[in-house]
Amino acid sequence: MRRFEELKRLDKKSRNKLRAILSNGDVNAIGSLERLRGTLGKVQSDALDAILNSSALLKAVRTSTPFPKVSPFIDTLQAYREMDLHELLSAIEASVVTHKERLFRLANSLLKIDTLYAEGDITACRDCIADTIETDGWSHALLRRIILIRENLAKDSVDHRIEDLVQQAGIKNVPVASLIHAYSLDQNILTIKRSILNLADRGAINRYTRTISKLTVQPFAASAQDLANFLSEVEKCSLIDAVILVKFNSHLFQLEDFPATAEITQILGQAKLFEPLVATYDAMDNGSEYAFFKQSSAWLEYEPIRRYRILIDNYYDASQEEAHGLPAELEQALHDWVGEPTLNDLVGSEPFTKHAFPALARLELSGTVTRSALFNYWLTDSKGEIGFEKADLLTLMGLTRDLARTVPIKAVRTAAKLAKDELVKLILYLLLAKRSKNELDSYALRKLLGDIAVKHHDYSLVKLVRSYEVSHPYVAEYIYDIVTEDFLAKLNTLAPHLTDIPEIRASLHEWMAEFTDDEHFRQRARAVRIDHQINRVRNEIDDHRIFVDPSRFSSWIEDEMMIELNSALTSTGAGKKGISVTCDEAILSLVMTQSYIAFCSNPVFGIASYLGRRIRHGTFHGHLYSSVINSIEKADKYQPLFSNPQFSAKWSAWKDIYNKAVEEIIAERLHVHSKSKPLGVLTPESYGPSKHEVLTAAVKNISKNFAETTSTAGIDQTIIDYCWRLAELDLVSVTRYLRAQQKPLKNEKFLHDELVPASTPAHARLADAFRRELELSIDQKLSAIFGWFKRPSIVAPKASVSLIFAATVAEVRDTIPDFDPQAADASKEEIELAGGFYHLVYDSLAIVVGNAAKYADRSRPLKRNFEIVPGKGKRLVVEISSSIKPTDDPAKVSADIEERKKADFQDANMYDKKSGISKLLLLASNRQDFELNQYAVVGSEVQVRLIYALEH
């Protein structure tokens, strides 16, 4: 289709906007095109891409230069050339011939930079990079070396010249940000790789930066056509980058057919320098090989790097379920590189690869990456039809990393089925647990864990884990990671009752706290038990009607959002450790809104999935229609009514209307709002003041956590928590809509005017009773349905302050049964708290309530008032007053309290008796959002005031 015809596919307004953008040669058109694309549907977006990919000369189009003086790491509108590989390589060859002298100079500059780096002369290396940019322009190859130096500087040190270069490159630009995070020693390369490969495809608008970003994590092209597409974009960055990519993928064509290019590749990446570069990583550190692999793309032009990455890129990879077949040349190169190692070789003390690079062999031997890739290669090659020595497999689990994210699913499933040893089978199913989406694999793991716990560990998962912690600690950690509340909910053998689930998970957290000596896990155990205590008081059984699969949502965040998150969290300032970190709140807000849309709309793990599976497909109709109709029709007392033909006819007519109304709700309303379902009642893309408040709190919380930790670890859990807070607000509209359907569904006018009068006079009273029971039944069923559309209590539920107070009272009553605070609540409103924050309220309230039960007059009421105080920062104020016993002297009680307030409180958690006030003081010293404002005797009462700073 010609360009003019593609233009006609756009509406008139969009057409005029596009013409204006493309005719303006003074500004970069990409931002304007992105905004325009956001207003278009799929068909018009395709038309826009076709227009941008056309060869027409437009003012907005920029021409690329082989040696760019200005940073080329940003999207611009550039001419698109669709060529086959040979045609493109011929064009590159012609350019190489034209710029041969300059390319030789640039190749020698790269050699000098690498030599200086290997010698440890970072200052001279940095200066050489700056001189090379000044003389021969920017390239991704130089950017990789800049970021390599930046990320390997000593902790808390900053090279301002390097930072200036990073700023010139554009720290906000996707290729730069993705490279920083790929090389960062703190980041997981599998997460970064998946994020880069899953960057949103906006066609011609961001094709260039998406492709350039791939150079770091996936330099191998899948085919000749893929290489042609890859090269056509990389060439726009710089000519030297195109030549390096040509050399790296020379297995897909005959390099000797392009002699000038082949000549340049010969002097790029001198083999003699490879070992000194590898030696810059400490072979005594078991994390060095991982760092080397993450940063190895700095030297893509070196042949040993290419051969090293054949194995790692294809068999240590979470971006695909199974490794794809390799071209014959790469398959042979891989075999020559690794030989035929056995499982026993991988756990031995001798080098297990067959290449001729001792420094790399030492790095591999002390590291985990090559072992992990070889294990996956071995499984893939054998298709899992292979036996395992249990001792070797157990040892290997401690010498590998990320196997649960990289193993070949089909091969491991086969190996698990063939395994005879119970522990070998358990390890293989544990490796599958996070990787496989097949419910049968999860079922097999649950059954096996249950059988082992029943046979050998007295039905206890905690005892099972403890039995492995010394001899097989990695197995114990795998089990801890896998056995979440959701997993336990399906493990009926070991958790037959809902109340068993939180106790088992809390006990596992406590085991992990002991195992790692990390108090964080003990706090998580406490949080689980607090939630359980609150649910016990609430007397709530949660059937998870609305749910979101947290593990799959976390994987989605890693795949789709991590690059944007990393970009936002290092996008202003220098972004290096030791320098104050600020965050791009606009990008964080966008990440949160996009995450929330997926949280609601994703058909695999989102609310939409459970809405469809658990509510629309049978449950809603069965609950609201079938159970109502069947129950009333089968009632013996109403059988005389159905023997009347007139009544039966009217009853059938009413049922038809009722059924259509119920099915209309199912078909059109119980959906996430979209173009195909415009009447859907769940509206994740709409934001009112309440949702904006939650969104703002989420952004602030993410920023604050990153500022404190300079890490994105655990950020997915924060996003999940705030997505649930947003969902709670949207789910209110669902119940509001259903509540509004009570009258229309019952069709009361028909019941009064037509159904009841259709009965015989003798049965008039029976018909009226029939009507009343029918209406009551519908009301009751709808009331039950309202409870389906809420946040599952197992997922950090929200709780009112009065409920938290009641839960602390229930906990105290376990040891002081006659404690009765009585109805002495003077609060003017019900205050609800969400997320982990209410655990702080619970912990502090429990101390005050416990002290009152022990020392106050239990015959008198425990007066309390809970109040939200507005202002610059919202605060929750909790006031509790207890009466002093008649037998106690208020002055003596006051003196005791003041003495406790002056005592050292740092070890308060180490003892119990008379430690309440000390524990409150310790809590206040550890938390900026909590203040013990008052704990004093006033008259004949002990008055306590606690103040909490609220985010949302």
Side-chain angles (χ1 to χ4, degrees), residues 257-552:
D257 291 346
F258 308 94
T261 305
E263 188 180 359
I264 295 295
T265 63
Q266 289 300 312
I267 61 169
L268 280 168
Q270 297 290 310
K272 64 182 180 182
L273 195 52
F274 174 69
E275 285 272 278
L277 288 171
V278 174
T280 60
Y281 296 86
D282 181 7
M284 302 301 290
D285 182 350
N286 62 10
S288 287
E289 192 210 359
Y290 187 57
F292 169 73
F293 165 58
K294 293 202 303 182
Q295 298 173 350
S296 62
S297 64
W299 307 296
L300 287 179
E301 61 270 33
Y302 289 77
E303 178 60 20
I305 291 289
R306 175 176 176 266
R307 294 170 67 194
Y308 171 73
R309 290 190 62 144
I310 295 172
L311 171 68
I312 312 300
D313 281 12
N314 288 283
Y315 295 98
Y316 179 70
D317 182 20
S319 63
Q320 55 189 11
E321 288 194 357
E322 306 287 342
H324 299 306
L326 296 176
E329 185 182 329
L330 291 189
E331 187 70 58
Q332 185 58 50
L334 175 58
H335 187 270
D336 294 343
W337 185 265
V338 301
E340 295 182 354
T342 64
L343 188 60
N344 186 256
D345 292 333
L346 294 183
V347 300
S349 57
E350 296 296 323
F352 43 80
T353 45
K354 304 303 177 187
H355 55 73
F357 303 102
L360 179 59
R362 288 192 293 273
L363 212 56
E364 292 169 337
L365 193 60
S366 69
T368 54
V369 176
T370 298
R371 279 193 177 93
S372 304
L374 274 173
F375 180 69
N376 294 336
Y377 170 59
W378 185 54
L379 278 168
T380 303
D381 194 48
S382 67
K383 298 180 181 178
E385 296 174 0
I386 194 163
F388 291 90
E389 288 295 330
K390 180 171 70 173
D392 289 344
L393 181 62
L394 286 166
T395 303
L396 187 66
M397 291 302 101
L399 299 174
T400 50
R401 63 177 299 137
D402 298 314
L403 286 183
R405 299 179 64 183
T406 61
V407 289
I409 294 172
K410 292 178 183 175
V412 173
R413 185 181 295 136
T414 300
K417 289 176 181 176
L418 295 175
K420 298 288 189 284
D421 186 271
E422 198 174 56
L423 186 53
V424 169
K425 191 183 288 284
L426 176 61
I427 290 170
L428 294 172
Y429 275 123
L430 285 168
L431 290 178
L432 272 182
K434 290 183 180 178
R435 185 118 162 98
S436 171
K437 301 297 185 283
N438 190 324
E439 182 58 32
L440 288 175
D441 294 330
S442 180
Y443 170 78
L445 173 60
R446 290 196 303 272
K447 186 176 186 306
L448 183 59
L449 267 178
D451 290 346
I452 294 173
V454 168
K455 282 194 289 186
H456 307 299
H457 304 289
D458 194 25
Y459 286 79
S460 170
L461 270 176
V462 178
K463 288 182 180 178
L464 183 153
V465 167
R466 287 191 186 282
S467 72
Y468 290 138
E469 72 174 65
V470 176
S471 56
H472 316 308
Y474 306 100
V475 178
E477 287 185 86
Y478 268 130
I479 294 172
Y480 168 81
D481 286 339
I482 294 301
V483 182
T484 62
E485 284 89 343
D486 196 40
F487 186 92
L488 286 167
K490 302 171 186 174
L491 193 57
N492 296 331
T493 314
L494 305 181
H497 305 293
L498 284 173
T499 53
D500 297 327
I501 295 171
E503 183 52 40
I504 293 172
R505 190 58 184 159
S507 299
L508 286 170
H509 285 318
E510 288 176 334
W511 168 80
M512 196 62 167
E514 295 172 19
F515 181 68
T516 60
D517 194 25
D518 187 342
E519 191 63 26
H520 166 71
F521 293 103
R522 212 175 304 280
Q523 292 169 6
R524 290 180 68 178
R526 174 71 172 153
V528 170
R529 289 200 169 97
I530 288 172
D531 290 341
H532 176 53
Q533 178 72 6
I534 289 171
N535 288 334
R536 189 177 75 161
V537 173
R538 189 190 267 138
N539 194 27
E540 178 179 281
I541 297 176
D542 200 325
D543 68 356
H544 286 52
R545 294 283 176 174
I546 293 294
F547 194 63
V548 171
D549 188 318
S551 62
R552 292 187 182 181

Side-chain angles (χ1 to χ4, degrees), residues 693-711:
E693 188 178 347
V694 176
L695 185 62
T696 301
V699 170
K700 287 182 178 177
N701 193 274
I702 292 170
S703 300
K704 184 180 76 173
N705 289 346
F706 183 77
E708 291 173 357
T709 64
T710 64
S711 170

Side-chain angles (χ1 to χ4, degrees), residues 693-886:
E693 188 178 347
V694 176
L695 185 62
T696 301
V699 170
K700 287 182 178 177
N701 193 274
I702 292 170
S703 300
K704 184 180 76 173
N705 289 346
F706 183 77
E708 291 173 357
T709 64
T710 64
S711 170
T712 56
I715 205 166
D716 56 329
Q717 297 305 311
T718 303
I719 292 174
I720 289 172
D721 179 44
Y722 279 98
C723 280
W724 271 120
R725 298 192 198 190
L726 290 167
E728 285 180 295
L729 297 172
D730 277 338
L731 290 170
V732 168
S733 66
V734 180
T735 54
R736 188 184 299 125
Y737 166 76
L738 291 173
R739 203 179 298 278
Q741 301 312 302
Q742 282 182 279
K743 283 195 173 184
L745 277 172
K746 288 184 284 190
N747 197 359
E748 292 174 339
K749 190 174 190 309
F750 187 99
L751 293 176
H752 281 276
D753 297 351
E754 299 193 41
L755 181 65
V756 172
S759 64
T760 62
H763 293 139
R765 294 182 66 181
L766 185 61
D768 197 50
F770 178 92
R771 175 192 60 78
R772 288 197 304 273
E773 185 171 331
L774 177 64
E775 291 181 1
L776 180 61
S777 178
I778 292 171
D779 286 340
Q780 289 173 339
K781 295 299 181 183
L782 272 172
S783 180
I785 286 173
F786 298 156
W788 297 356
F789 296 93
K790 61 181 181 59
R791 180 183 194 172
S793 62
I794 202 169
V795 187
K798 66 179 179 181
S800 66
V801 180
S802 58
L803 179 63
I804 295 170
F805 175 81
T808 63
V809 169
E811 185 176 309
V812 169
R813 276 181 172 162
D814 288 340
T815 52
I816 307 176
D818 65 337
F819 176 56
D820 179 13
Q822 303 175 38
D825 189 347
S827 306
K828 294 183 176 65
E829 60 177 327
E830 189 71 55
I831 300 167
E832 287 201 320
L833 305 173
F837 180 78
Y838 68 76
H839 298 148
L840 168 66
V841 178
Y842 185 100
D843 281 339
S844 48
L845 262 181
I847 294 169
V848 176
V849 171
N851 276 358
K854 290 175 190 173
Y855 306 117
D857 183 352
R858 289 203 289 272
S859 67
R860 305 289 299 277
L862 189 63
K863 293 185 281 189
R864 61 257 184 206
N865 181 54
F866 312 130
E867 182 181 3
I868 295 286
V869 178
K872 187 174 181 182
K874 279 200 306 186
R875 296 176 300 155
L876 166 66
V877 177
V878 172
E879 296 176 327
I880 294 181
S881 299
S882 56
S883 299
I884 296 172
K885 293 177 182 176

Side-chain angles (χ1 to χ4, degrees), residues 216-244:
T216 310
V217 295
Q218 190 168 291
F220 281 111
S223 64
Q225 185 56 53
D226 185 38
L227 178 57
N229 296 336
F230 206 166
L231 266 175
S232 67
E233 299 302 319
V234 171
E235 185 198 16
K236 296 172 185 176
C237 186
S238 77
L239 184 56
I240 194 68
D241 287 320
V243 172
I244 291 171

Side-chain angles (χ1 to χ4, degrees), residues 514-624:
E514 295 172 19
F515 181 68
T516 60
D517 194 25
D518 187 342
E519 191 63 26
H520 166 71
F521 293 103
R522 212 175 304 280
Q523 292 169 6
R524 290 180 68 178
R526 174 71 172 153
V528 170
R529 289 200 169 97
I530 288 172
D531 290 341
H532 176 53
Q533 178 72 6
I534 289 171
N535 288 334
R536 189 177 75 161
V537 173
R538 189 190 267 138
N539 194 27
E540 178 179 281
I541 297 176
D542 200 325
D543 68 356
H544 286 52
R545 294 283 176 174
I546 293 294
F547 194 63
V548 171
D549 188 318
S551 62
R552 292 187 182 181
F553 184 49
S554 292
S555 296
W556 180 89
I557 292 171
E558 289 181 351
D559 291 350
E560 305 289 343
M561 291 288 107
M562 201 53 74
I563 283 294
E564 284 84 353
L565 276 167
N566 285 328
S567 176
L569 295 172
T570 59
S571 60
T572 56
K576 187 68 183 166
K577 304 174 197 71
I579 289 180
S580 62
V581 176
T582 55
C583 305
D584 191 323
E585 296 193 351
I587 296 179
L588 288 179
S589 182
L590 181 64
V591 166
M592 271 304 304
T593 54
Q594 290 178 334
S595 297
Y596 180 55
I597 290 170
F599 185 86
C600 292
S601 306
N602 189 282
V604 176
F605 59 73
I607 287 177
S609 167
Y610 292 85
L611 197 60
R613 280 186 280 154
R614 295 181 174 177
I615 295 179
R616 285 202 311 272
H617 294 169
T619 309
F620 190 87
H621 189 274
H623 183 82
L624 194 54

